[in-house]
Amino acid sequence: MLKNNLGFPRMGSHRQLKKASEQYWQGKITRQDLYAAARKIKEANWQLQLDAGIDLIPCNDFSYYDHVLDMSLLLGAIPARYSPVVASVKGNEEIDMYFAMARGYQKDGLDIKAMEMTKWFDTNYHYIVPEFTADQQFNLFSEKLFAEFNHAKQYVGGAAKPVIIGPVSYLLLGKEKEAGFDKIDLIKKLVPVYVDIINRLKNYGAEWVQLDEPYLAMDLSKKEKEAFEYAYRAIANRVSGVKLLVATYFDALLDNAPLAVNLPVQALHIDLARAPEQLDEVLALMPANLQLSLGVIDGRNVWKNDYKKSLAHITKAIGALGSERIMISPSSSLLHTPYDLDLETAIDYGVKNWMAFAKQKLNEVSELHQIIQGNTDLMRNNQQAIESRRTSTVIHKDTVKQKIAAITDADATRNSAFPVRQQLQQQRFKLPHFPTTTIGSFPQTDDIRQLRAKYKKGELRLQEYEQALEKATIETIRLQEEIGIDVLVHGEFERNDMVEYFGEQLDGYLFTQNGWVQSYGSRCVKPPVIYGDISRPKDMTVRWSSFAQQQTDRPMKGMLTGPITILQWSFVRDDQPRETTANQIALAIREEVVALEKAGIGIIQIDEPAIREGLPLRRANWPAYLTWAVKAFRISASGVNDETQIHTHMCYSEFNDIIEHIAAMDADVITIETSRSQMELLEAFSDFEYPNEIGPGVYDIHSPRVPTVEEMLSLLEKAAILLPARNIWVNPDCGLKTRKWPETKAALINMVSAAKQAREKITEPVTL
Ligand code: GLN
Ligand code: ZN
């Protein structure tokens, strides 16, 4: 029974890769320094895996930026626009072209755009999207894979297992950059390169090669399934003497199970953390000789494995296949977990004893193996930890559980329907047509950041800190008044991050010191951890919102992050359904909404930018998720009177397929990102005849560019063709946190002028 691992975090224990690559980009260290830093990280990772007794140790899971971009370089899928970089970079160093593809290139008179980035399945990791053209060619280009395998072989010997993305998933991850072809048809051109790659790895001495095919756990079309069959048959016909392990993860194989188990390969990996229920079917389908890697340890979370559960899976599989055909493994690459729990010195021991980061998860693989061999002590220790978590009073709060159990449909419903509320709100606020507002944050300057850093380090007293924040808030309010914005915001200067700010004030949350996970390139995030029942011990935002409201006669909008976004951007407990945790957060936010209302805040925005990214990977699971997600939002928003106006905000680009659920959220006003798509995204709202008010963004905040009055007016005119004019708000696409002051002022002045002109030009509500 082999101990398998699919991949390991690549930043290093203390984000050494981030530091080294950023220094390299700034020209502060040499290429050799960067390579040396990478070498150390890889060797440290391998050493950990050797120490844990892992039999199949991944290599080439390391990447200087992104493993999908590595594949594009390996396969020679390099967009033509980068050829001048190849020519201009001295010595044609591959790594510089690689970084140019990832980050864009502005040097030597060249200005070449970076490749697009998007989310890696349902993780918060972003990969670089391969670009394909109709006459796309592939050829073995980069030596990185082979160099890394040879390095690994020297270090870990025969355990070294090179990891690449499989051919079908690679194509499905990419994008057609021109019309007239289907990327999946490129499989015929791609397979010969894979054959070369695998044969070369074999010649260098690889015993196993891991091909990641996460798409086998996603919805596939008939053509895509055929591509799998074709590709693996073609590869099997032309390689021998090396074993192939196809890795699937993040969901169940379901209807793709017969396809997956019959691929002509030597081993298949399945995710039993995400989809334990698939084991029986897969075991029943397993053909003779195929080995099965059981992903029993959750590669996506920070919790200690429950050995009893894992053991049940493992013994069942051994019973069906015999132990020689079984591997024990984490469910996916450990890329998505932080590096080492031992580095955390501030987490209470009791809670820490329920957790495991990447390094600890390797050890879990090894311990499960020892338990199978008969080590009962390990099992007993593990079950003690699991039991203490199950019964802990730190986690389980009866009052919270009672509140959740008592939620009724009425709690998730406003008192009156939208038309009634709209009228009451119009009478109350008397806003003009095309009312103007912003999404919440104003520029977070270095001054503000330094202020917070000093306060956190204890170099600044609370009183001084708050005075400085008050000053920034007052200035921002005066500015909005001068510009003539109708519904003001306080600027969010007191917030570092829209989830952390709330997590820090909610019970049931903990924060790590070193719990970094890679988000993209050198960027890492440190998601807070929800370990227990969530409750709100005291007001969270009332102090700042009321202070701001006292400074002005205009309505001041209260600003909150919604339950689904808080859930989505945290590590979530795995001992209860996500829905339950979402409801707990929703109740806490609801209490805050009510407290704001009580404090005289009449307009309250509950941001849900992450509601769409929480969508399950399989479409069949969408309705269930959307039902509880929308309900959680409604619980958070429905504790107030009809006269209180609830806003929500979202900033992603696809509404078509979930529009009815967005409407079901029943926010009085929704502000969305639309300017980059020139209002195209509004069509979903228009086709659906979205009934409530809506603020389509007219100012693209992703760029320092100041939009003109005419541009914004013309966007409003477009919007007024699609939607009733009386329902349209005027606002930027998103918060202004990342912008600088001068451009922000100029853009908002133009935005208010555009709104004023719209009021004159578009007087009659346009009927459809
Ligand atoms: N209110 C937040 C802000 O303005 C919203 C951010 C977001 O949508 N990501 O910064
Ligand atoms: Zn946004």
Side-chain angles (χ1 to χ4, degrees):
M1 196 167 24
L2 294 176
K3 284 158 278 169
N4 184 24
N5 185 33
L6 302 187
F8 205 71
R10 47 178 85 125
M11 276 297 144
S13 54
H14 293 84
R15 289 182 296 156
Q16 297 92 316
L17 181 62
K18 174 192 177 66
K19 288 161 199 163
S21 38
E22 289 176 358
Q23 283 180 330
Y24 177 67
W25 298 335
Q26 289 162 14
K28 288 185 186 150
I29 63 169
T30 66
R31 202 175 282 139
Q32 293 317 318
D33 296 334
L34 175 64
Y35 293 159
R39 224 184 143 80
K40 273 197 190 153
I41 293 171
K42 287 183 249 187
E43 291 183 354
N45 288 355
W46 292 330
Q47 190 60 51
L48 283 179
Q49 298 177 77
L50 281 175
D51 294 347
I54 302 293
D55 302 302
L56 300 183
I57 298 181
C59 62
N60 197 47
D61 56 333
F62 176 85
S63 174
Y64 283 97
Y65 201 95
D66 163 46
H67 57 279
V68 183
L69 182 59
D70 291 359
M71 284 308 294
S72 293
L73 243 76
L74 175 63
L75 301 167
I78 299 161
R81 66 180 179 283
Y82 296 104
S83 28
V85 188
V86 188
S88 89
V89 168
K90 267 198 213 83
N92 290 350
E93 270 294 336
E94 184 181 302
I95 189 100
D96 294 318
M97 185 179 67
Y98 173 82
F99 286 139
M101 291 163 77
R103 309 177 62 237
Y105 193 83
Q106 277 150 325
K107 238 174 32 192
D108 321 323
L110 297 169
D111 184 357
I112 308 175
K113 272 212 328 229
M115 292 171 77
E116 213 180 290
M117 199 162 61
T118 196
K119 270 171 164 288
W120 176 250
F121 302 92
D122 59 352
T123 72
N124 212 356
Y125 175 82
H126 300 71
Y127 73 92
I128 305 271
V129 182
E131 297 180 13
F132 304 130
T133 53
D135 68 343
Q136 184 68 46
Q137 302 300 319
F138 299 103
N139 53 68
L140 221 165
F141 182 85
S142 168
E143 290 292 317
K144 178 207 168 237
L145 164 67
F146 309 107
E148 201 164 311
F149 174 67
N150 285 324
H151 179 196
K153 217 178 52 179
Q154 285 167 21
Y155 205 90
V156 307
K161 173 190 59 172
V163 177
I164 53 180
I165 295 174
V168 183
S169 291
Y170 175 72
L171 289 178
L172 293 177
L173 288 164
K175 200 167 164 178
E176 291 119 354
K177 290 310 252 189
E178 56 197 23
F181 76 106
D182 183 347
K183 62 189 177 185
I184 202 71
D185 292 330
L186 298 174
I187 194 72
K188 294 223 158 81
K189 290 189 188 167
L190 190 53
V191 159
V193 189
Y194 271 82
V195 170
D196 282 355
I197 290 167
I198 296 168
N199 277 327
R200 259 184 83 179
L201 288 168
K202 182 196 75 179
N203 293 338
Y204 289 132
E207 187 190 349
W208 282 95
V209 176
Q210 175 181 323
L211 294 137
D212 282 12
E213 291 282 12
Y215 276 97
L216 280 169
M218 312 294 142
D219 297 327
L220 291 176
S221 68
K222 185 163 170 281
K223 200 169 167 190
E224 289 160 352
K225 289 185 189 176
E226 284 164 6
F228 271 108
E229 276 164 4
Y230 165 79
Y232 282 86
R233 209 175 325 112
I235 290 172
N237 285 340
R238 290 164 63 193
V239 302
S240 60
V242 57
K243 293 186 246 181
L244 304 182
L245 181 147
V246 166
T248 72
Y249 38 79
F250 300 157
D251 215 320
L253 298 174
L254 297 176
D255 54 319
N256 303 329
L259 166 69
V261 300
N262 288 307
L263 293 176
V265 296
Q266 283 64 43
L268 176 70
H269 171 89
I270 55 172
D271 185 336
L272 294 175
R274 187 58 79 79
E277 69 288 348
Q278 67 177 327
L279 181 60
D280 289 334
E281 197 197 346
V282 172
L283 287 177
L285 290 171
M286 287 284 286
N289 301 326
L290 182 66
Q291 301 187 40
L292 187 63
S293 167
L294 306 170
V296 285
I297 291 155
D298 195 346
R300 295 284 301 275
N301 218 325
V302 293
W303 306 109
K304 188 170 263 183
N305 187 253
D306 181 346
Y307 288 169
K308 212 166 141 190
K309 277 191 194 159
S310 297
L311 208 63
H313 295 318
I314 298 168
T315 44
K316 184 187 273 181
I318 293 176
L321 307 177
S323 58
E324 326 71 53
R325 284 172 66 195
I326 300 298
M327 301 179 188
I328 304 176
S329 173
S331 62
S332 65
S333 166
L334 297 171
L335 176 66
H336 313 290
T337 55
Y339 193 90
D340 182 6
L341 185 64
D342 294 343
L343 299 175
E344 301 301 321
T345 53
I347 304 177
D348 171 78
Y349 172 76
V351 179
K352 198 169 160 182
N353 192 32
W354 305 324
M355 301 173 73
F357 290 179
K359 183 178 140 192
Q360 287 70 35
K361 284 170 192 279
L362 294 174
N363 207 40
E364 292 185 334
V365 173
S366 147
E367 290 197 354
L368 278 168
H369 191 262
Q370 292 173 58
I371 289 171
I372 303 273
Q373 319 293 320
N375 187 328
T376 49
D377 285 353
L378 290 173
M379 185 62 156
R380 195 173 330 108
N381 290 344
N382 174 267
Q383 287 305 296
Q384 269 163 12
I386 299 295
E387 186 57 18
S388 83
R389 184 174 170 208
R390 206 178 59 72
T391 53
S392 162
T393 50
V394 190
I395 295 184
H396 302 282
K397 303 248 166 68
D398 284 342
T399 46
V400 178
K401 294 196 201 297
Q402 281 154 13
K403 278 194 209 168
I404 296 296
I407 296 175
T408 61
D409 282 347
D411 293 329
T413 313
R414 298 286 298 269
N415 296 337
S416 306
F418 174 70
V420 177
R421 305 197 308 262
Q422 188 176 33
Q423 214 177 13
L424 292 169
Q425 291 164 17
Q426 268 163 9
Q427 281 159 15
R428 174 174 182 190
F429 299 112
K430 300 191 173 51
L431 296 172
H433 269 175
F434 296 102
T436 51
T437 191
T438 62
I439 305 306
S441 57
F442 267 75
Q444 289 250 343
T445 55
D446 287 344
D447 286 358
I448 295 283
R449 285 178 215 280
Q450 276 163 19
L451 204 66
R452 191 161 37 240
K454 273 193 187 164
Y455 170 62
K456 284 213 161 167
K457 275 190 228 149
E459 291 167 17
L460 204 65
R461 281 181 303 133
L462 177 68
Q463 202 191 350
E464 294 167 301
Y465 175 60
E466 295 211 325
Q467 266 169 11
L469 292 178
E470 285 182 356
K471 190 165 162 273
T473 306
I474 293 173
E475 283 169 8
T476 304
I477 293 171
R478 291 292 159 266
L479 178 79
Q480 294 172 85
E481 287 175 336
E482 273 162 37
I483 296 177
I485 293 181
D486 301 304
V487 173
L488 310 194
V489 297
H490 72 282
E492 299 181 18
F493 299 110
E494 76 287 8
R495 303 185 191 176
N496 32 3
D497 170 276
M498 64 188 289
V499 169
E500 197 174 51
Y501 183 74
F502 291 93
E504 279 172 350
Q505 303 187 74
L506 290 168
D507 281 352
Y509 254 106
L510 70 84
F511 292 82
T512 64
Q513 293 156 299
N514 287 290
W516 298 101
V517 286
Q518 189 178 9
S519 172
Y520 64 88
S522 66
R523 228 188 115 93
C524 301
V525 293
K526 205 153 53 91
V529 179
I530 301 176
Y531 71 90
D533 288 337
I534 296 281
S535 59
R536 168 188 168 278
K538 54 180 194 301
D539 291 351
M540 300 186 283
T541 63
V542 177
R543 184 242 181 270
W544 285 107
S545 286
S546 346
F547 170 81
Q549 183 63 86
Q550 281 155 24
Q551 314 303 317
T552 180
D553 294 331
R554 301 191 180 212
M556 176 61 58
K557 188 159 63 163
M559 283 297 155
L560 302 172
T561 303
I564 302 304
T565 301
I566 292 183
L567 186 79
Q568 200 57 32
W569 293 348
S570 304
F571 279 121
V572 179
R573 48 195 286 203
D574 62 350
D575 58 344
Q576 66 184 19
R578 281 173 85 82
E579 174 183 356
T580 310
T581 308
N583 283 339
Q584 293 182 355
I585 305 169
L587 279 184
I589 298 297
R590 177 192 179 94
E591 289 170 11
E592 186 69 14
V593 171
V594 171
L596 282 169
E597 179 185 63
K598 214 167 172 187
I601 305 298
I603 302 183
I604 299 161
Q605 178 172 313
I606 308 171
D607 289 324
E608 282 291 21
I611 206 161
R612 190 176 211 286
E613 67 181 55
L615 278 176
L617 294 165
R618 293 277 199 162
R619 247 197 134 97
N621 299 328
W622 283 21
Y625 161 78
L626 286 164
T627 304
W628 64 254
V630 168
K631 184 164 181 201
F633 176 85
R634 291 175 59 123
I635 291 168
S636 73
S638 297
V640 289
N641 298 320
D642 288 343
E643 292 78 3
T644 296
Q645 188 171 66
I646 299 289
H647 289 220
T648 189
H649 165 73
M650 289 176 201
C651 42
Y652 50 75
S653 44
E654 269 294 324
F655 298 98
N656 291 289
D657 43 10
I658 59 166
I659 184 74
E660 61 187 291
H661 301 279
I662 292 181
M665 290 167 73
D666 197 26
D668 296 305
V669 182
I670 181 171
T671 55
I672 56 169
E673 173 191 335
T674 37
S675 84
R676 278 195 290 188
S677 78
Q678 295 290 308
M679 298 284 146
E680 255 173 49
L681 299 171
L682 272 191
E683 274 160 28
F685 289 83
S686 166
D687 294 345
F688 185 77
E689 298 187 32
Y690 182 80
N692 300 12
E693 297 181 22
I694 173 166
V698 290
Y699 161 20
D700 175 8
I701 58 89
H702 301 89
S703 132
R705 199 180 154 269
V706 176
T708 63
V709 179
E710 295 69 36
E711 268 172 69
M712 290 194 269
L713 180 61
S714 106
L715 288 176
L716 289 173
E717 284 170 335
K718 273 195 192 172
I721 293 171
L722 293 165
L723 299 162
R726 63 172 187 285
N727 283 355
I728 300 177
W729 284 64
V730 183
N731 46 263
D733 270 341
C734 190
L736 300 162
K737 173 153 96 183
T738 55
R739 296 271 55 88
K740 299 265 181 291
W741 274 109
E743 75 225 24
T744 298
K745 282 183 204 170
L748 292 179
I749 289 172
N750 287 357
M751 186 185 88
V752 170
S753 300
K756 285 186 176 152
Q757 292 188 27
R759 282 166 205 160
E760 281 166 23
K761 274 185 88 172
I762 315 170
T763 44
E764 282 299 300
V766 180
T767 39
L768 298 161

